Amino acid sequence: MADPLTMMTLAYGTKALGDAVQGGFQWASANKMSKKTPAERARLDYLKKLADEGAIPADQQSRLLALANRPAFNVANVSKANMMGNLTNQGLENSVVATQVGADLDASMARDASDRALKLGIENEMSKTQFGNQYHTENAMLTRGLMEQRQQALSEARDKMFGGVGDMFDVYGTNKFYRNNKKWT
């Protein structure tokens, strides 16, 4: 049977070495923690795309504008036809008044279409800013969270690693002390 000092040294030394090695593995895995998951990267890529294009992509803007203008144009054309019909009934179809009324209705229709296009463009630009802010906020929060997790894991790994190394030196020193000072045993 081995002496108790050797048994204690082996037991505590093995545990200390195990702690140091385990801390090293934790350190290595903590260095990989600063990576975003594919889902997080996909979300950020989507927000970045929306920040660049806006909520309404360029190829859809003209289609939406046409859909918004069609009913307004129909109403304006019916109103113009009714007005011209009234002027014709009064015998003013070739007068300056008929020409002016037609021009005013056409200008009003064009102005309304222009206003709708401007509103759509402004809303799209505002959405770009909104999605850009959301992208930067989420990216910063995600990055900060990952950095905090990584720092916490590195701190724990460092403590475990250095604690194990310190325990190994303590066991070695205690063993050496008792071996050199036989009067204590």
Side-chain angles (χ1 to χ4, degrees):
M1 180 168 149
D3 70 272
L5 186 59
T6 303
M7 294 301 289
M8 185 225 32
T9 302
L10 285 173
Y12 287 111
T14 302
K15 181 192 177 305
L17 180 62
D19 286 348
V21 170
Q22 187 178 15
F25 284 124
Q26 284 178 345
W27 182 274
S29 68
N31 277 326
K32 296 178 184 175
M33 290 181 85
S34 62
K35 302 215 178 358
K36 295 174 181 115
T37 65
E40 292 165 338
R41 281 193 306 266
R43 167 89 174 135
L44 290 174
D45 290 344
Y46 178 69
L47 286 174
K48 182 74 169 152
K49 179 183 174 221
L50 288 176
D52 292 339
E53 293 180 0
I56 305 168
D59 60 336
Q60 296 294 317
Q61 288 179 14
S62 61
R63 187 177 68 80
L64 288 175
L65 195 56
L67 287 173
N69 283 333
R70 186 175 302 137
F73 284 154
N74 289 341
V75 168
N77 285 333
V78 168
S79 296
K80 184 177 177 182
N82 287 340
M83 185 63 71
M84 290 305 197
N86 288 338
L87 289 173
T88 302
N89 286 341
Q90 296 174 11
L92 299 172
E93 65 270 5
N94 293 328
S95 69
V96 174
V97 173
T99 307
Q100 186 63 41
V101 167
D104 287 347
L105 287 173
D106 288 342
S108 175
M109 192 168 47
R111 196 171 29 256
D112 289 345
S114 174
D115 288 347
R116 280 188 288 281
L118 180 62
K119 184 179 176 187
L120 183 69
I122 289 172
E123 287 176 358
N124 201 42
E125 288 302 314
M126 287 173 57
S127 74
K128 287 179 183 181
T129 303
Q130 177 186 359
F131 286 120
N133 290 341
Q134 188 175 353
Y135 166 79
H136 291 298
T137 300
E138 287 188 26
N139 190 30
M141 288 175 52
L142 184 61
T143 302
R144 181 178 178 164
L146 288 171
M147 285 174 44
E148 287 174 356
Q149 286 177 353
R150 180 177 179 264
Q151 287 305 109
Q152 177 68 27
L154 287 173
S155 176
E156 290 172 5
R158 182 196 64 228
D159 291 347
K160 187 159 196 117
M161 203 166 42
F162 289 142
V165 170
D167 289 348
M168 283 174 40
F169 283 128
D170 288 345
V171 168
Y172 176 73
T174 302
N175 187 352
K176 191 168 183 149
F177 173 79
Y178 283 115
R179 295 254 184 244
N180 290 338
N181 298 301
K182 297 285 185 189
K183 65 181 180 179
W184 295 100
T185 55

